[in-house]
Amino acid sequence: MHHFTDRGGRLFAEDVDLSALAADVGTPVYVYSEATLRRHFRVFADAFAETETLVAYSVKANSNIAVLKVLADEGAGADVVSAGELHRAMKAGIALKRIVFSGVGKTRDEIAAALDAGILQFNVESAPELHLINDVAAAAGARAPIALRVNPDVAAGGHEKISTGKKEDKFGVPWSAARALYAEARALDGVAVKGVDVHIGSQIDDLAPFEAAFSKVASLINDLRADGCEIDTLDLGGGLGIPYGEGAIPPHPDDYAAMIKRVTAPLDVKLIFEPGRMIAGNAGVLLSRVVYVKEGEEKRFLIIDAGMNDLVRPAMYDAHHDIRPVAARTGDKVPYDVVGPVCESSDRFAKDRPLEPMQAGDLVAVMSAGAYGAVQSSQYNTRALVPEVLVRGDQYAVIRRRPTFDDMVSLEAAPDWL
Ligand SMILES: *Cc1c(COP(=O)(O)O)cnc(C)c1O
């Protein structure tokens, strides 16, 4: 459930009229609902209330410092995948002992920064990474707390570009190598084995692949313990899907939690989760204004002022986003291709989407854009990075301002010889 609602034919974010917000801040703009962020976090955390659990929000889904502060205030930890995300999490006040570090390509400098900060756990994705962490920690006279991210070879994820738990994916330690790598890890002086980690993909709308993966991991933990390895934490990753207005309705966190309790109760481990999309996805919309309605020979195009550089999900993952007029329009629906101004044919938000007849100047809200939206935005076509706004009740604040053209070129320099 989210707090973007229709009030008498006008779309509101909590108690803020989105037309008024757009007139004030300009478009395109991302708008987030603080109440929705908090609500989603609580629904997830409450589902595991009786179990010792850390909910480490996946920072890459939406890494704005204000969003992280809202979640820190709810008691969230953070799952980071770069030193930059670690910097953000620390800046937002997320407790270091609630931060886990994931990702296949952690560099020496990133490992050193996280070790120095004193994070809870490194989720290690390969043998060479394990040895690099060991080297960095041993040189500092420390022991790095680690879990191995294992690849359970389970197919999952709404799109091949977001599946991460099959053996042909780059993620995690191959299933057949996991037990031996744990034995290797235990012999190292610079690491302390804490647990097991798994993350099988994103936008998963079915409990079956989760259950298949988690059951395999549970049996691995039993094997590891039989080998004499202490396992205290079990990180089950993120990946729970959200409703995008089309396609399957993903499981409710309560059902997800019931399944997990059934599978993991005998293990007596502290659970860690890394949800991203489930917290932020439906807490944000991308607000955009219609620039032109263009009648093509075979198509009617709604050309809006947001582009694929602002929200890349439709172009990159063929993702569906509902598109709503911000002020209700009348008349029979007609099909529109909703496109942006970027000079790429893939700059399209929707194909043949039935909408009430729209006019230049009308506002639309691209729904469910709170996760993997602003974080993937770019300045392609030298379009200003899209700003972000946070709403609380009837107030709102700009939490990332729109850069000026001078801001945009300020990191560039011509060499002396020009
Ligand atoms: C992306 C990612 C997540 C978050 O996935 P969601 O689908 O947004 O919940 C969690 N853990 C890891 C390791 C990830 O790469």
Side-chain angles (χ1 to χ4, degrees), residues 56-62 79-81 100-103 123 125 149 162 164 171 197-204 210 235-241 273-281 371-372:
Y57 167 69
S58 176
V59 170
K60 76 178 195 282
N62 184 322
D79 170 36
V80 302
V81 295
V100 298
F101 193 173
S102 302
N123 288 336
E125 303 223 15
R149 176 173 174 182
I162 52 179
T164 63
F171 299 97
D197 169 44
V198 64
H199 169 75
I200 58 170
S202 205
Q203 187 53 21
I204 299 170
F210 285 122
D235 185 334
L236 296 175
L240 196 57
F273 294 97
E274 304 167 348
R277 190 190 310 271
M278 192 267 149
I279 309 260
Y372 306 109

Side-chain angles (χ1 to χ4, degrees), residues 163-219:
S163 161
T164 63
K166 287 192 288 184
K167 59 173 176 249
E168 56 271 36
D169 295 324
K170 69 178 176 183
F171 299 97
V173 173
W175 189 254
S176 56
R179 218 166 150 178
L181 195 58
Y182 269 99
E184 211 172 307
R186 285 173 60 212
L188 299 173
D189 291 334
V191 300
V193 174
K194 295 290 177 194
V196 178
D197 169 44
V198 64
H199 169 75
I200 58 170
S202 205
Q203 187 53 21
I204 299 170
D205 53 22
D206 178 5
L207 286 181
F210 285 122
E211 182 157 4
F214 300 167
S215 301
K216 282 183 91 165
V217 170
S219 74

Side-chain angles (χ1 to χ4, degrees), residues 13-343:
E14 302 190 21
D15 297 324
V16 172
D17 182 337
L18 287 177
S19 303
L21 186 153
D24 177 23
V25 183
T27 55
V29 58
Y30 277 100
V31 182
Y32 309 130
S33 152
E34 182 174 327
T36 310
L37 287 167
R38 290 183 186 273
R39 183 193 163 87
H40 289 166
F41 182 84
R42 283 179 202 169
V43 166
F44 195 91
D46 289 354
F48 293 95
E50 307 132 44
T51 331
E52 197 193 347
T53 301
L54 168 63
V55 183
Y57 167 69
S58 176
V59 170
K60 76 178 195 282
N62 184 322
S63 60
N64 189 290
I65 301 271
V67 168
L68 298 182
K69 279 195 165 181
V70 168
L71 296 171
D73 185 49
E74 291 289 332
D79 170 36
V80 302
V81 295
S82 69
E85 285 190 354
L86 175 63
H87 179 79
R88 285 179 179 275
M90 288 167 63
K91 213 166 170 178
I94 291 179
L96 290 164
K97 284 292 167 227
R98 291 176 169 271
I99 297 179
V100 298
F101 193 173
S102 302
V104 296
K106 302 174 195 79
T107 63
R108 179 182 287 273
D109 287 350
E110 289 182 313
I111 292 165
L115 194 64
D116 193 45
I119 63 164
L120 178 68
Q121 167 177 313
F122 290 85
N123 288 336
V124 177
E125 303 223 15
S126 65
E129 182 194 335
L130 175 69
H131 287 283
L132 181 56
I133 292 175
N134 179 60
D135 291 351
V136 174
R143 263 183 188 267
I146 61 129
L148 295 187
R149 176 173 174 182
V150 294
N151 184 327
D153 191 23
V154 164
H159 187 280
E160 62 171 284
K161 289 187 188 160
I162 52 179
S163 161
T164 63
K166 287 192 288 184
K167 59 173 176 249
E168 56 271 36
D169 295 324
K170 69 178 176 183
F171 299 97
V173 173
W175 189 254
S176 56
R179 218 166 150 178
L181 195 58
Y182 269 99
E184 211 172 307
R186 285 173 60 212
L188 299 173
D189 291 334
V191 300
V193 174
K194 295 290 177 194
V196 178
D197 169 44
V198 64
H199 169 75
I200 58 170
S202 205
Q203 187 53 21
I204 299 170
D205 53 22
D206 178 5
L207 286 181
F210 285 122
E211 182 157 4
F214 300 167
S215 301
K216 282 183 91 165
V217 170
S219 74
L220 175 67
I221 291 180
N222 290 328
D223 290 346
L224 293 173
R225 285 176 170 166
D227 293 345
C229 190
E230 270 183 50
I231 298 293
D232 301 323
T233 64
L234 173 54
D235 185 334
L236 296 175
L240 196 57
I242 61 165
Y244 274 101
E246 188 192 69
I249 304 288
H252 189 277
D254 287 345
D255 299 324
Y256 177 72
M259 179 275 287
I260 287 170
K261 282 179 206 166
R262 185 155 40 75
V263 175
T264 65
L267 298 173
D268 188 28
V269 281
K270 173 181 169 166
L271 296 177
I272 302 172
F273 294 97
E274 304 167 348
R277 190 190 310 271
M278 192 267 149
I279 309 260
N282 277 319
V285 303
L286 174 60
L287 207 55
S288 179
R289 205 176 282 283
V290 176
V291 186
Y292 298 109
V293 179
K294 176 172 173 176
E295 302 285 344
E297 270 177 28
E298 295 186 357
K299 292 253 181 197
R300 191 180 282 111
F301 295 99
L302 206 58
I303 303 175
I304 64 176
D305 66 2
M308 65 187 287
N309 68 299
D310 302 310
L311 175 66
V312 80
R313 297 190 69 258
M316 186 147 75
Y317 313 112
D318 303 316
H320 172 96
H321 285 266
D322 276 355
I323 296 175
R324 289 211 219 162
V326 170
R329 292 278 158 237
T330 50
D332 293 339
K333 290 187 176 178
V334 290
Y336 287 103
D337 274 18
V338 182
V339 302
V342 173
C343 304

